[in-house]
Amino acid sequence: MTAGQIAAPSYLGFQGEELWWIEPRPQEDGRSALMRRRRPDADAETVLPGPWNIRSRVIEYGGRPWATAADDLGVLVVFVNFPDQRLYLYRPDTEGAGPQPLTPVSPVGGGLRWAEPEVDLARGAVRCVLEEFTGEGPSDVRRLIAQVPLDGSAAEDRGAVRELSDDRHRFVSGARVSPDGSRAVWLAWDHPHMPWDAAELKIAEVGDDGRLHHARALLGGPGDPVAQAEWAVDGTLLAACERTGWWNLHRVDPETGAARIPHRAAEEFAGSQRLGLRWFAPLADGRIAVLHGRGAQRLAVLDPAADDLVDVPGDRTEWLPHLAVSGTRIAGVAAGRETSYEVVEVDAGAHAAGTVGQPTTDTTGHPTTHTAGRLTLRVAGHRHQVPVDASYLPEPIARVFNGPDGQEVHAHLYAPRHPDHTTGRSPDDGPAPYVVWAHGGPSLRAPLSPNLEIAYFTSRGIGVADVNYGGTPGYGREYRERLREQWGVVDVADCAAVARELIDEGVADRDRLAIRGGSAGGFTAAASLITTDVYACATMLYPVLDLEAVATGGSHDFESHHLESLIGPNSADAAARYRDRSPAAHPQNIKVPFLLLQGADDPVSPPAQSRAFLAGASAVPHAYRLFEGEGHGFRRRDTMVAALEAELSFYGQVFGFTPPDVPVLDLSSAGRPR
């Protein structure tokens, strides 16, 4: 249900002076490419050509799919190849040497899958999270920490894979080994919980063979989750916990689990963990690179000894949790109000207090560096490129709306913007049509940064209100807990409150108002049509539609019990609630047109849910597009283009205008897949 992640770089890491990361390639059938920048003054290069696709399917959303090391022969990289989910070893600087498989293919269910690799040269192995299917069902699976030989001896032999931990927990994250190699920590959690509700921090001794002995819970658990843990270079342990009502950093005693807060603040220093997300990273000099904030997070350097938090200067107001450090160098993925997500690097060496300096520019006028004293930020890769004139791009505004019972509702407003129509209203100077966007997750957050998908509509006279409804992380535990057992209620009411306030302000046109969402946001859109009369139409992308099917094994394992926190315990007493909230149970209640876009290979929201929903909603005009080769979330450029054009044609037909240069969508009530 967490599709809708931004097409941005991810999973950064250093190898000596080199910086590596994953980069999305929609133009190459949606593959994920591994990138390498050898020196700070060098250009980035693609490590492997297509069709190599560096991406893990562990828990379906994956995690960090690569790791590097250097030995006497040079740099080596271990990576997960998406089509077969095998681990491969590759030496990019060895001429004629192609990737060599390290793990076998299993014919059972979803096979063997790997994530969070860490190369252990001393043991001649790579340590990973292993997801192993034991049957054909989505929940016939075990997960543990395992070790794979680098010599290829496990390429055809599952028995050569050494299991380092037991499989008593349903889910585990990658192990972090202490600087002296004696201990390791990792996160673990079990059904029916999600990690942001119940992840506990485990600690164990590391044996000579790499196995994890005498594992015990150190911190966290249900109601007291841990989002991330890291060893500092001096052997102390840092963890992000939510005990204060916010994700704050704690320094943890690895013997007793006693925790103290080096910098207490009513803001978030972490977020909703899955696998491989990194909000903080200890530096070599004892300071900590951290992301922090309410809603949007930005990068800072924390000196815990002095309780001194220094923000990295510049206009980057949105950072993704993919921090990497080497010494006092920090790399991350950041965007600003006018700059999309780029790979950036910060030199945090011996910075001095100072005022924010003016940005420097390269020969094209693109800002490359901001300084404050000796704290500097530089663009390192995936440089921001806008293929259209800036006068067509919307100017995002952060708003707080009045929700039900006086609750705050956070949203970002994008008024229509076109160089020939700059008033933010429709050409006849009346209120503009608007689309309310409901983000996926529902444990994700809509960022405040340039989004060409949003600009596609705002440049054509359609405004967008991107709503961070109750349940969205980033605004404290109380705001996030508003969605507990209230999914389909709070999210629907918050989106409707934003829509009604825009109408009352004369910003939006009551008769030309839509709701749109993907994955969990698609559920919110569908539920909004069934339970409110606010919208003239809706667009649903790969939506969750049948809650009863999800609760009874109709989805993948990671989220198969997520509804117990979002709807309620899966019991006879809650059965009516599941039916009442499920769009699939009430398609006949929909009275306005809708568009449904779906990937044919979606394991999270299977097409079977959409087909059943369509059969019951055949009385209203609608269109259905099924895209072959796509899963949960669209990755291919041709799919993205076709989906946007279909959506624009749909709004044109409902709102009463004819968009130029796009195919006319067949909007009928036949309900047949097209």
Side-chain angles (χ1 to χ4, degrees):
M1 292 184 287
T2 56
Q5 297 280 20
I6 302 154
S10 61
Y11 302 119
L12 279 62
F14 283 100
Q15 175 55 53
E17 189 179 38
E18 300 180 357
L19 178 60
W20 295 56
W21 66 88
I22 293 294
E23 187 167 286
R25 294 284 177 83
Q27 71 277 19
E28 298 179 22
D29 287 332
R31 80 180 184 102
S32 297
L34 183 60
M35 305 298 294
R36 177 190 193 186
R37 194 193 64 169
R38 296 173 184 261
R39 301 180 311 279
D41 60 348
D43 292 331
E45 59 190 67
T46 305
V47 177
L48 283 164
W52 293 102
N53 189 354
I54 319 304
R55 181 175 150 218
S56 168
R57 283 191 64 183
V58 169
I59 69 168
E60 293 301 345
Y61 298 119
R64 182 171 49 80
W66 67 271
T68 57
D71 58 14
D72 294 341
L73 299 177
V75 172
L76 63 90
V77 57
V78 174
F79 66 89
V80 180
N81 185 42
F82 181 73
D84 59 14
Q85 287 298 289
R86 299 176 85 180
L87 276 177
Y88 286 80
L89 173 67
Y90 178 53
R91 292 187 176 273
D93 301 326
T94 302
E95 187 174 352
Q100 301 298 312
L102 296 179
T103 56
V105 174
S106 169
V108 180
L112 299 173
R113 300 175 180 179
W114 313 85
E116 301 292 283
E118 294 286 348
V119 178
D120 186 343
L121 290 177
R123 295 183 174 91
V126 55
R127 184 176 55 252
C128 304
V129 171
L130 164 62
E131 179 177 81
E132 181 173 24
F133 281 79
T134 58
E136 298 303 317
S139 295
D140 297 329
V141 66
R142 60 196 291 261
R143 299 179 183 90
L144 48 90
I145 300 169
Q147 184 172 280
V148 177
L150 291 173
D151 62 8
S153 58
E156 303 297 336
D157 180 10
R158 167 64 179 85
V161 175
R162 175 173 290 167
E163 298 186 2
L164 303 182
S165 71
D166 57 41
D167 60 356
R168 71 178 63 182
H169 291 288
R170 190 68 169 189
F171 303 95
V172 295
S173 70
R176 302 277 197 236
V177 175
S178 61
D180 65 4
S182 65
R183 290 185 285 194
V185 294
W186 65 96
L187 302 183
W189 67 97
D190 294 287
H191 287 323
H193 303 294
M194 301 304 291
W196 47 86
D197 294 320
E200 66 180 7
L201 182 60
K202 308 284 287 189
I203 189 168
E205 299 171 8
V206 181
D208 292 340
D209 59 359
R211 285 193 169 96
L212 305 175
H213 301 283
H214 310 299
R216 58 189 173 91
L218 185 64
L219 191 70
D224 184 25
V226 179
Q228 183 190 343
E230 304 285 346
W231 295 97
V233 292
D234 62 358
T236 58
L237 186 60
L238 298 167
C241 310
E242 208 183 22
R243 294 177 168 185
T244 65
W246 299 86
W247 291 108
N248 277 187
L249 284 183
H250 294 64
R251 195 173 293 278
V252 182
D253 185 326
E255 303 299 333
T256 66
R260 61 181 180 84
I261 303 174
H263 180 82
R264 182 187 294 267
E267 58 179 350
E268 308 282 34
F269 286 77
S272 298
Q273 179 63 273
R274 290 168 186 82
L275 284 180
L277 303 184
R278 203 177 191 201
W279 289 267
F280 68 90
L283 300 174
D285 59 9
R287 294 176 298 159
I288 310 167
V290 298
L291 301 182
H292 74 106
R294 291 193 181 197
Q297 292 177 309
R298 64 180 302 141
L299 178 65
V301 176
L302 172 65
D303 183 348
D307 192 13
D308 182 34
L309 185 71
V310 179
D311 281 335
V312 170
D315 59 356
R316 300 324 198 274
T317 55
E318 290 275 0
W319 291 71
L320 298 181
H322 292 294
L323 291 184
V325 299
S326 177
T328 56
R329 293 169 63 193
I330 309 167
V333 180
R337 287 175 179 258
E338 298 179 356
T339 309
S340 61
Y341 286 99
E342 300 174 308
V343 176
V344 298
E345 186 176 335
V346 174
D347 175 9
H351 76 270
T355 59
V356 176
Q358 293 299 313
T360 62
T361 60
D362 61 17
T363 56
T364 67
H366 187 88
T368 59
T369 306
H370 292 266
T371 63
R374 294 177 60 187
L375 196 63
T376 63
L377 182 147
R378 183 179 304 276
V379 177
H382 198 72
R383 187 177 296 279
H384 170 72
Q385 294 180 335
V386 178
V388 298
D389 188 282
S391 63
Y392 290 89
L393 302 180
E395 297 176 346
I397 298 174
R399 288 276 307 269
V400 178
F401 290 84
N402 297 311
D405 302 322
Q407 294 274 8
E408 290 186 346
V409 180
H410 298 271
H412 303 146
L413 205 62
Y414 300 82
R417 191 181 186 208
H418 189 284
D420 297 329
H421 301 284
T422 58
T423 64
R425 305 171 77 84
S426 55
D428 61 2
D429 206 37
Y434 259 80
V435 182
V436 173
W437 282 30
H439 64 70
S443 54
L444 300 178
R445 182 182 63 84
L448 191 66
S449 62
N451 184 323
L452 291 181
E453 194 173 18
I454 288 177
Y456 181 79
F457 296 106
T458 57
S459 64
R460 289 159 173 82
I462 301 173
V464 171
D466 209 357
V467 183
N468 282 317
Y469 48 80
T472 301
Y475 303 97
R477 186 169 188 161
E478 183 178 349
Y479 194 82
R480 183 170 60 82
E481 291 282 341
R482 285 186 58 214
L483 207 61
R484 184 166 294 278
E485 298 192 2
Q486 294 298 308
W487 194 34
V489 177
V490 165
D491 50 325
V492 169
D494 284 0
C495 288
V498 171
R500 291 188 177 106
E501 193 163 334
L502 291 176
I503 293 169
D504 292 343
E505 293 173 358
V507 172
D509 185 339
R510 178 182 300 275
D511 297 324
R512 295 189 295 171
L513 190 64
I515 186 166
R516 180 245 214 208
S519 190
F523 164 83
T524 301
S528 295
L529 293 195
I530 289 168
T531 61
T532 77
D533 60 358
V534 177
Y535 308 102
C537 62
T539 298
M540 296 166 272
L541 299 91
Y542 32 89
V544 177
L545 294 170
D546 191 339
L547 301 183
E548 292 175 292
V550 173
T552 56
S555 185
H556 65 132
D557 188 58
F558 174 62
E559 290 174 325
S560 60
H561 291 258
H562 194 186
L563 296 184
E564 296 198 28
S565 61
L566 293 174
I567 305 295
N570 186 16
S571 64
D573 293 338
R577 189 187 309 172
Y578 276 72
R579 285 194 302 273
D580 289 344
R581 304 256 188 98
S582 179
H586 311 284
Q588 71 280 359
N589 290 357
I590 295 180
K591 307 302 182 185
V592 298
F594 67 88
L595 169 63
L596 201 161
L597 306 172
Q598 174 83 52
D601 302 327
D602 190 341
V604 179
S605 301
Q609 289 192 22
S610 295
R611 289 192 291 268
F613 176 79
L614 289 166
S618 59
V620 298
H622 64 271
Y624 175 52
R625 291 289 302 273
L626 185 70
F627 295 100
E628 297 294 335
E630 291 285 7
H632 197 62
F634 301 148
R635 293 176 177 271
R636 297 176 175 177
R637 183 171 60 181
D638 57 347
T639 302
M640 296 175 183
V641 170
L644 283 173
E645 291 181 341
E647 189 173 355
L648 181 61
S649 176
F650 173 65
Y651 295 142
Q653 293 180 60
V654 176
F655 295 158
F657 65 90
T658 302
D661 303 322
V662 299
V664 177
L665 181 72
D666 179 11
L667 184 59
S668 69
S669 59
R672 60 184 183 280
R674 284 179 283 280

